[in-house]
Amino acid sequence: MLGFTRTDDEALVSCLGDPQRTVAAYRELLHRAADALDAIRAGLSHPDPAVREGCCRLLDHLVDTDSMDRLVAMADDPDARVRIAAFHALACDRCKGDTCAPGADRVLDPGLRHLADDPDPQVRMRAAELVGKFVHTDHRARAALEASRAGDPSPAVRKKSGWYAPGGPIHRRTARSALG
């Protein structure tokens, strides 16, 4: 199956770090869904950042309440690609119902910290998306997005923050749902 010598969940998680097998392993783990969650969660501690990144991307689709704290912890991973995947998974609601969407009490502080001072502009852009989820309900989110829009060294981060800050297009669009 899949051309792998081993197809147990742990072996497939390890294959997320192999450029030749990443896609097939990812698809199979996604297909296995909840049955593979223990191995995916364990993969968040793997020494290879590509494996940790793949596990964050999988948890974007398969996240449950038992995985949320581990995913939040990945926002502080030493590898920027892992932090990007973690922030995306925490901010993206497309694949999650309200039952797993993390609240400000769990994710706003890491989002604010990384928006303000992460060395990687891609991480700061993803942090802006996460912080933007709370702009209508938390004054710290609003202030952080306004500060980032005005002073981030990256034009891309300033633009993304501006989308979520008051007056921006995403802020205007989400204001309607925040009121109701």
Side-chain angles (χ1 to χ4, degrees), residues 75-151:
D76 291 323
D77 192 88
D79 190 278
R81 295 169 300 170
V82 177
R83 294 192 309 273
I84 291 166
F87 276 115
H88 172 80
L90 293 168
C92 181
D93 290 333
R94 230 179 328 176
C95 303
K96 299 169 198 62
D98 288 338
T99 58
C100 287
D105 60 319
R106 293 174 102 173
V107 299
L108 185 56
D109 285 338
L112 292 169
R113 187 169 19 87
H114 286 276
L115 177 59
D117 64 14
D118 196 283
D120 188 285
Q122 292 290 326
V123 175
R124 293 194 309 274
M125 285 195 320
R126 295 297 183 172
E129 294 172 3
L130 179 61
V131 170
K133 290 178 64 171
F134 305 103
V135 70
H136 299 289
T137 58
D138 193 297
H139 68 90
R140 297 173 303 157
R142 179 182 182 146
L145 289 165
E146 289 174 333
S148 178
R149 175 180 61 189

Side-chain angles (χ1 to χ4, degrees), residues 4 14-25 48 50:
F4 299 125
S14 290
C15 288
L16 294 172
D18 179 348
Q20 301 300 316
R21 294 191 167 102
T22 299
V23 173
D48 184 346

